[in-house]
């Protein structure tokens, strides 16, 4: 019977969000297609114009196309139902998506830095007018694509990530335009690899945080923004709790968190109403949505099995 209730709830939840999901699907599809087409144009233009800044911008845009596709796929997997084998569904795929994206960006950055340093040592002429025109298109495409996500970006970390990436891309393209204009006026060709390196530093700054967070989540760390000491104090403050054992908090996905705990309560047990209140508090105060609580007497005859490891 509880299983049936859960299924009905999921079905209702899916209906409620189906319009939002289809509009974000459309936003992902349009953004990915537009950006991919633009990257192809930008790579050809960068090679023809002999420009590292344009190639850096193309690499950043390409990484974002892959990021968009991974975020899109992960969003789809997040909403797939759980199975007998995958009892949590495929939620962790969002973490794998973030990790793969981070590795890809680090590899791309390394290649561009190598090429840009060579250009700094041996400066060569750049066709700055091509750089300016193509980068201006980049501002329009990325800015327009970011606007497609503006409605949903507050709801989900993955969609917010896609939105921010596109907005940053528009700013980076603006930097390339400014570099191109300065080269047009001054003929300082070394500005081109310098702008390329600056773009890579921007990519790396965001990537290292993404890498750190996704590796932490894969290793089962307490997700960013959750204070485990405060959670322990909350459980300790519950009337009748003598000790808190085996408290674990980990990320199920980039937006869902699970918790298990043993509460040692020698003199009383928790009522259903109290359990509901605890679940409510953990969800609203700590943003923890999957909670399992084990209540034990914890006396000398039946000690808690996890008292040593907690």
């Amino acid at each position: 019977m509880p299983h049936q209730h859960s299924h009905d709830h999921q079905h209702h939840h899916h209906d409620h969000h189906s319009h939002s999901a289809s509009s974000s699907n459309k936003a992902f599809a349009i953004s990915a297609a537009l950006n991919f087409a633009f990257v192809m144009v930008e790579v050809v233009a960068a090679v023809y114009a002999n420009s590292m800044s344009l190639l850096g911008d193309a690499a950043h845009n390409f990484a974002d196309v892959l990021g968009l596709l991974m975020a899109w796929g992960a969003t789809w997997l997040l909403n797939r139902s759980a199975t007998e084998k995958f009892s949590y569904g495929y939620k962790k795929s969002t973490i794998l998506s973030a990790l793969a994206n981070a590795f890809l960006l680090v590899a791309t950055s390394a290649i561009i830095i190598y090429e840009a340093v060579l250009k700094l040592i041996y400066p060569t002429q750049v066709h700055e007018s091509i750089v300016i025109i193509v980068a201006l298109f980049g501002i329009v495409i990325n800015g327009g694509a970011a606007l497609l996500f503006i409605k949903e970006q507050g709801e989900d970390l993955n969609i917010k990530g896609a939105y921010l990436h596109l907005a940053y891309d528009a700013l980076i393209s603006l930097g390339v335009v400014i570099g191109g204009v300065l080269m047009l006026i001054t003929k300082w060709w070394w500005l081109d690899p310098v702008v390329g390196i600056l773009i890579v530093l921007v990519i790396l700054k965001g990537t290292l945080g993404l890498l750190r967070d996704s590796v932490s989540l894969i290793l089962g760390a307490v997700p960013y923004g959750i204070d485990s000491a405060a959670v322990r104090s909350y459980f300790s403050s519950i009337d009748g709790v003598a000790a808190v054992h085996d408290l674990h908090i980990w990320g199920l996905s980039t937006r869902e968190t699970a918790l298990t705990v043993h509460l040692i309560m020698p003199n009383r047990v928790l009522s259903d109403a109290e359990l509901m209140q605890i679940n409510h508090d953990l969800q609203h105060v700590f943003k923890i949505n999957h909670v399992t609580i084990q209540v034990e007497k914890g006396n000398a005859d039946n000690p808690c099995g996890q008292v040593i490891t907690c």
Side-chain angles (χ1 to χ4, degrees), residues 30-41 61-62 65 69 141:
I30 293 168
S31 301
L34 262 178
N35 266 283
F36 187 70
F38 178 61
V39 164
M40 295 297 101
V41 171
N61 278 313
F62 181 60
V65 169
L69 292 175
I141 288 170

Side-chain angles (χ1 to χ4, degrees), residues 142-184:
N142 286 306
L147 292 176
L148 294 172
F149 285 104
I150 208 152
K151 275 190 296 193
E152 284 105 1
Q153 61 103 4
E155 292 172 22
D156 176 359
L157 194 65
N158 242 322
I159 290 173
K160 186 173 185 173
Y163 165 77
L164 287 173
H165 255 124
L166 291 163
Y168 282 139
D169 280 359
L171 282 175
I172 285 170
S173 293
L174 178 63
V176 176
V177 170
I178 292 165
V181 169
L182 285 172
M183 279 189 290
L184 191 66

Side-chain angles (χ1 to χ4, degrees), residues 233-281:
S233 300
Y234 169 77
F235 281 121
S236 300
S237 71
I238 295 167
D239 181 37
V241 172
V244 177
H245 291 172
D246 207 29
L247 172 62
H248 296 284
I249 306 166
W250 71 99
L252 289 177
S253 73
T254 49
R255 60 174 169 174
E256 288 182 79
T257 304
L259 174 151
T260 59
V261 68
H262 294 191
L263 299 181
I264 310 304
M265 302 183 73
N267 305 316
R268 61 183 290 261
V269 291
L270 292 169
S271 68
D272 281 0
E274 285 174 307
L275 282 168
M276 280 181 71
Q277 184 59 49
I278 290 168
N279 273 277
H280 177 273
D281 290 348

Side-chain angles (χ1 to χ4, degrees), residues 49-69:
N50 193 27
S51 169
M52 280 317 299
S53 60
L54 210 51
L55 197 61
D57 198 36
H60 195 222
N61 278 313
F62 181 60
D64 286 348
V65 169
L66 289 176
L68 273 172
L69 292 175

Side-chain angles (χ1 to χ4, degrees), residues 174-202:
L174 178 63
V176 176
V177 170
I178 292 165
V181 169
L182 285 172
M183 279 189 290
L184 191 66
I185 297 163
T186 62
K187 304 298 178 192
W188 293 342
W189 308 126
W190 55 263
L191 278 171
D192 183 68
V194 166
V195 172
I197 290 169
L198 288 175
I199 291 171
V200 168
L201 293 178
V202 170

Side-chain angles (χ1 to χ4, degrees), residues 39-180:
V39 164
M40 295 297 101
V41 171
E42 209 171 14
V43 168
V44 172
V47 172
Y48 181 74
N50 193 27
S51 169
M52 280 317 299
S53 60
L54 210 51
L55 197 61
D57 198 36
H60 195 222
N61 278 313
F62 181 60
D64 286 348
V65 169
L66 289 176
L68 273 172
L69 292 175
M70 284 190 274
W72 189 13
T75 303
W76 176 70
L77 283 167
L78 200 61
N79 296 319
R80 294 287 304 275
S81 300
T83 64
E84 200 73 38
K85 187 174 173 67
F86 295 94
S87 62
Y88 278 126
Y90 303 91
K91 294 176 168 55
K92 264 212 159 112
S93 59
T94 58
I95 302 168
L96 284 174
S97 150
L99 186 65
N101 197 8
F103 277 130
L104 181 84
L105 286 167
V106 170
T108 309
S109 300
I111 294 164
I112 293 167
I113 284 181
Y114 173 74
E115 291 293 332
V117 168
L118 282 180
K119 276 272 164 72
L120 270 177
I121 299 166
Y122 310 107
T124 49
Q125 186 180 350
V126 177
H127 298 288
E128 62 284 289
S129 52
I130 295 171
V131 173
I132 296 165
I133 293 161
V134 174
L136 279 171
F137 273 107
I139 297 172
V140 173
I141 288 170
N142 286 306
L147 292 176
L148 294 172
F149 285 104
I150 208 152
K151 275 190 296 193
E152 284 105 1
Q153 61 103 4
E155 292 172 22
D156 176 359
L157 194 65
N158 242 322
I159 290 173
K160 186 173 185 173
Y163 165 77
L164 287 173
H165 255 124
L166 291 163
Y168 282 139
D169 280 359
L171 282 175
I172 285 170
S173 293
L174 178 63
V176 176
V177 170
I178 292 165

